[in-house]
Amino acid sequence: MDPVRNPYAPGAGQRPPELAGRDTELSAFDVVLERIAHGRPERSLVLTGLRGVGKTVLLNQLRSAAISRGWGTGKIEARPDQSLRRPVSSALHMALRELGPRHGDQESVAEVLGVVKAFASRVNPADAKVRDRWQAGIDVPAAVGRADSGDMEIDLVELLSDAAGVAADIGSGIALFIDEMQDVQPDDVSAICAACHELSQQGAPLIVVGAGLPHLPAVLSASKSYSERLFRYLRIDRLERDAADRALIAPAEREGVEFAPGALDALYEAADGYPYFVQAYGKVTWDVAASSPITADDVAMAAPVAETELAVGFFGSRYDRATPAEREYMRAMAELGGPQGAAVATSEVAVSLGRKPASLSPARDSLIKKGLVYSAERGQIAFTVPHFGRYLLRHPD
């Protein structure tokens, strides 16, 4: 098998050659865009799921769908140590640049760009040195008295309302895509919810599409109680068998290669339907196979190689970020949750380690901030990475 023709593409946020099993989510977003185009009210969207299920890939595909309909779009990746002011400003600047040339009144577009600049330039005193080095890249004067109060909730509502007005003028819309949304700072989460609430009441053609870990709905709900009704939540999970098979078969067929049925059985068992694993095992199996059709023996030969690569790049890189205390906590979780990485009670982790629950709170909270675990529900904890428990059980210190 020619490795140059290998169609499989495991990567962070990298679109697979065949985006299988996501037709429902893509169709739901098409409905959202169509409803807004007809002036119908519609909720913003939130995608949730474990790492490796393809949330970023789907987010990018949804953005492509919005662009194809002539919408202005912008995308940001949230970071726990960063305010959303500048990322949101850059994203909206991009969206307005896409819509601006179609607007009949360039002066009004310039006024909104001035609001974007004012919003971006309003930073806390502690960020003064950063402010001195950073430039918004908008060649109009900053507006005065609009989106520059310093109150994130007030400013974001004003900013998004003004940007939505530009889109409405030309019969279009704006979609703001936020990846890793669980890492948005609490005050900014509150501002996003308030802005989406206000925009929905106005019927403004601007939506937020967020993606994050499974506890993201709880993060939003803790900020604003009405967030449960404000967003449409779509849970992104592993692929069903037919979709996982299609993700492997379709790219191979385009290269004139086939799979024996036993090979597909073995690949699904190894990847467990998780899109990242499907690509990882598919890529190594292709490289190992001598010729078409790819057989179960090829998969058996490739599996240890794929697992070694995953142990270093996918699992190991995350494990290395943890402190000794955090690793001890995760190993206790793995022993309690088993190879499938089932959610476990925090009280059981404490008993397993012979510690008081309160003494383990720093390690647990740090693991949550690092995105390695999440609170599945009150008193429960689980890994954000599928098969992480199995990795820890197979790789003792």
Side-chain angles (χ1 to χ4, degrees):
M1 302 285 282
D2 184 357
V4 175
R5 294 170 53 210
N6 192 325
Y8 304 110
Q14 187 169 330
R15 191 187 189 283
E18 181 72 18
L19 186 58
R22 302 305 183 215
D23 295 341
T24 299
E25 292 81 6
L26 293 171
S27 296
F29 190 62
D30 284 340
V31 171
V32 170
L33 296 177
E34 195 66 27
R35 282 178 58 83
I36 293 175
H38 287 81
R40 303 287 185 180
E42 192 52 82
R43 291 176 292 175
S44 291
L45 298 179
V46 169
L47 313 176
T48 66
L50 297 175
R51 301 202 181 279
V53 297
K55 298 186 300 298
T56 300
V57 169
L58 184 55
L59 199 68
N60 291 337
Q61 193 68 19
L62 298 181
R63 185 183 181 188
S64 295
I67 291 172
S68 69
R69 289 177 177 260
W71 278 45
T73 68
K75 181 187 171 187
I76 64 176
E77 181 177 318
R79 300 205 318 244
D81 59 344
Q82 181 184 51
S83 167
L84 279 188
R85 276 192 181 271
R86 288 171 180 167
V88 165
S89 301
S90 297
L92 283 181
H93 185 202
M94 181 179 294
L96 291 168
R97 286 176 60 189
E98 294 171 357
L99 299 177
R102 292 150 50 193
H103 200 284
D105 184 357
Q106 292 300 304
E107 186 174 335
S108 65
V109 175
E111 289 177 357
V112 176
L113 286 173
V115 174
V116 174
K117 190 171 186 177
F119 177 83
S121 302
R122 189 69 165 87
V123 296
N124 296 324
D127 298 328
K129 292 183 180 179
V130 177
R131 178 187 61 196
D132 293 340
R133 297 196 305 267
W134 185 84
Q135 298 294 326
I138 301 175
D139 295 328
V140 298
V144 177
R146 189 71 176 168
D148 61 354
S149 71
D151 185 310
M152 185 64 172
E153 193 164 310
I154 295 172
D155 292 349
L156 190 62
V157 169
E158 292 180 348
L159 174 69
L160 296 187
S161 295
D162 289 358
V166 172
D169 289 344
I170 60 173
S172 185
I174 291 177
L176 177 62
F177 295 85
I178 306 176
D179 204 1
E180 302 293 346
M181 195 174 180
Q182 76 282 340
D183 288 336
V184 175
Q185 295 178 350
D187 288 347
D188 291 352
V189 171
S190 179
I192 290 171
C193 291
C196 288
H197 193 204
E198 179 65 26
L199 291 168
S200 66
Q201 291 176 332
Q202 295 175 7
L206 190 152
I207 60 171
V208 172
V209 183
L213 294 173
H215 65 291
L216 176 54
V219 171
L220 296 171
S221 181
S223 176
K224 298 287 187 183
S225 60
Y226 56 72
S227 69
E228 297 169 358
R229 293 160 285 149
L230 190 61
F231 298 98
R232 179 177 181 180
Y233 295 97
L234 299 177
R235 180 171 177 78
I236 312 304
D237 210 338
R238 56 188 175 179
L239 300 175
E240 298 292 339
R241 173 62 191 269
D242 59 342
D245 286 355
R246 182 156 58 90
L248 292 165
I249 293 172
E253 285 183 340
R254 291 193 284 269
E255 299 293 338
V257 174
E258 297 180 348
F259 284 89
L264 292 172
D265 293 339
L267 282 167
Y268 190 76
E269 182 178 355
D272 202 18
Y274 288 103
Y276 184 86
F277 296 162
V278 169
Q279 296 298 311
Y281 281 94
K283 187 175 190 303
V284 177
T285 299
W286 175 288
D287 289 341
V288 166
S291 61
S292 176
I294 295 173
T295 67
D297 289 341
D298 294 327
V299 178
M301 189 180 302
V305 179
E307 288 167 4
T308 299
E309 291 184 1
L310 288 169
V312 175
F314 191 74
F315 298 115
S317 60
R318 289 175 165 85
Y319 182 73
D320 290 344
R321 292 163 49 198
T323 66
E326 293 163 3
R327 294 176 184 180
E328 181 184 43
Y329 193 97
M330 289 192 294
R331 290 198 174 277
M333 287 176 58
E335 292 170 0
L336 292 167
Q340 295 303 316
V344 300
T346 54
S347 59
E348 292 181 358
V349 175
V351 171
S352 174
L353 295 175
R355 304 268 297 278
K356 293 182 178 180
S359 69
L360 295 173
S361 294
R364 183 188 67 240
D365 293 345
S366 180
L367 287 169
I368 291 175
K369 289 179 181 177
K370 290 179 179 179
L372 295 172
V373 305
Y374 71 99
S375 180
E377 57 183 77
R378 187 174 181 83
Q380 298 279 315
I381 200 78
F383 292 114
T384 62
V385 178
H387 293 183
F388 199 67
R390 185 170 70 181
Y391 162 78
L392 291 174
L393 293 174
R394 289 181 176 179
H395 295 81
D397 283 340

